[in-house]
Amino acid sequence: MRTPLFADPRAWVGIDVAKATLDVVLRLPQQSFYRVFANTPEGHQALDTWLQLSTGGAAPSEIKVVLEATGSYSDALSQALFATGYHLCVLNPAVLVDYRRSHNTRSKTDKLDAHMLACYAQDQQQHPHPWTPLPEPIHQMRQLLHHRDDLQHMLRQERNRLEAGRMDSWIREQVLSHVAELRSRLKACEKRIKEHIKAHGVLLHLSTRLRTIPGIGWLTAARLLAHIGDLARFEKVGSLVSLAGLAISEHSSGSSVHGHPHIDRHGRPDLRQTLYMSALVALRVSPAFQRWGRRLQEAGKPKKVVLVAIMRKLLHIVYGVWKTDRDFDASVAFPQAA
């Protein structure tokens, strides 16, 4: 993988990425421009052409582009911009939320988000790491997991139609046939994911390590590998917690305004959902997690707060197991119990 070498920026670009569109703000030293492009390969090419024309032919390495990580919506765009040589930074969504607050901006539109991202790119106090693509095995596994989720969603829809029961015999036969086909395709996809992990030694090794943690099975381990990709991207566990949207947000002012602490929810909801299901399993099967959860309840914590604490604890354990390359050890994870 090439190491990008960037010149001092001559232009700064913020891109708000949606499923179908890209809202783009280009800032130059004396003026700024706004355009909307399609989030398609043709739209990405049109964006590149527009940036070259609008900046007077600046080299891509002289154009700093900042966008938010939006999963599958931003993956193709990030790959295209990186391949062309742009100075690209992909932010955790929570970063823009904090930046917007620091500028006392409460309004939120696609155009305004693009403007804030462009301002962030130009802000000399901000130093986000340049983006580089995930290793190809991780990228492939993300695609496989997205496909599995699509199949699971379609299967759930068809099952709901059967439960509703408002169909004649012919339609019911068609739905049952589709359900059988989806089950077969889902089984084949899961087999493919397992084979993909076994075919790559690093993935297999990490998956085996992660599965020693209570509440984490083969599918959850695969999702964690796909979401995190390269642990070196996270200098500390707090960055990983922020990616999941599990960072604690508080609101207080003086002695009279005290809001209840809550998770910020600005990270990846699919990662948060994965941790939620894992936390439920961990509480059911692990005595160590059960004792820890019980102590939180005895301290007066509501059940929902306890569950979120378990999710955060799981993520801390994942970080520790991955970074130290050691199996889960309850005495290390819960030293107070030991």
Side-chain angles (χ1 to χ4, degrees), residues 22 37-49:
L22 306 171
F37 297 89
N39 193 3
T40 62
E42 296 76 15
H44 303 163
Q45 182 60 51
L47 168 63
D48 177 48
T49 301

Side-chain angles (χ1 to χ4, degrees), residues 32-299:
S32 62
F33 304 94
Y34 169 71
R35 283 283 297 274
V36 178
F37 297 89
N39 193 3
T40 62
E42 296 76 15
H44 303 163
Q45 182 60 51
L47 168 63
D48 177 48
T49 301
W50 179 70
L51 289 177
Q52 294 302 309
L53 291 173
S54 301
T55 59
S61 61
E62 297 176 311
I63 303 175
K64 187 173 183 179
V65 182
V66 174
L67 54 92
E68 288 183 295
T70 55
S72 58
Y73 295 165
S74 62
D75 285 347
L77 174 64
S78 299
Q79 293 279 353
L81 293 171
F82 178 83
T84 307
Y86 285 97
H87 184 162
L88 175 64
C89 302
V90 180
L91 304 181
N92 183 316
V95 174
L96 183 60
V97 173
D98 292 339
Y99 191 71
R100 188 188 294 112
R101 287 174 182 162
S102 71
H103 286 70
N104 295 318
T105 302
R106 298 190 177 186
S107 300
K108 178 173 171 55
T109 65
D110 294 341
K111 181 178 180 180
L112 182 57
D113 280 353
H115 171 74
M116 294 303 298
L117 286 164
C119 290
Y120 185 93
Q122 194 173 6
D123 192 335
Q124 295 184 0
Q125 295 182 352
Q126 309 300 329
H127 304 286
H129 293 294
W131 182 87
T132 54
L134 290 171
E136 188 57 27
I138 295 294
H139 182 66
Q140 292 175 358
M141 189 158 66
R142 276 192 178 184
Q143 291 181 317
L144 286 168
L145 287 167
H146 282 314
H147 182 56
R148 182 199 176 275
D149 290 344
D150 289 341
L151 292 171
Q152 187 74 53
H153 178 68
M154 288 188 285
L155 182 58
R156 190 180 303 114
Q157 286 182 319
E158 294 293 53
R159 285 172 173 167
N160 289 340
R161 291 189 182 98
L162 288 173
E163 290 178 3
R166 296 187 296 272
M167 60 184 71
D168 61 26
S169 59
W170 184 86
I171 297 176
R172 181 176 177 81
E173 182 181 342
Q174 298 300 308
V175 174
L176 285 171
S177 176
H178 194 204
V179 166
E181 178 191 354
L182 288 171
R183 283 175 175 166
S184 176
R185 291 171 59 187
L186 181 62
K187 185 176 180 180
C189 184
E190 291 181 345
K191 180 181 178 182
R192 179 75 172 177
I193 295 171
K194 292 177 181 178
E195 290 173 346
H196 181 76
I197 293 173
K198 289 180 181 178
H200 296 86
V202 174
L203 296 183
L204 180 60
H205 177 77
L206 287 171
S207 175
T208 303
R209 285 277 191 239
L210 294 176
R211 289 171 65 183
T212 65
I213 304 172
I216 295 182
W218 77 267
L219 183 57
T220 299
R223 291 191 186 281
L224 289 169
L225 289 171
H227 282 300
I228 297 171
D230 181 6
L231 195 69
R233 298 189 301 141
F234 305 93
E235 296 179 353
K236 53 186 180 180
V237 68
S239 301
L240 189 55
V241 170
S242 181
L243 178 71
L246 291 173
I248 300 300
S249 176
E250 297 189 45
H251 177 65
S252 62
S253 177
S255 60
S256 59
V257 179
H258 298 282
H260 292 289
H262 58 278
I263 58 174
D264 61 27
R265 295 182 182 274
H266 293 300
R268 294 190 171 180
D270 43 358
L271 176 55
R272 197 159 55 247
Q273 178 65 20
T274 295
L275 292 168
Y276 173 79
M277 300 305 298
S278 296
L280 292 176
V281 176
L283 281 173
R284 189 173 70 246
V285 304
S286 169
F289 275 98
Q290 290 168 0
R291 287 192 294 269
W292 195 67
R294 215 165 24 243
R295 282 198 296 272
L296 292 176
Q297 285 186 309
E298 291 170 355

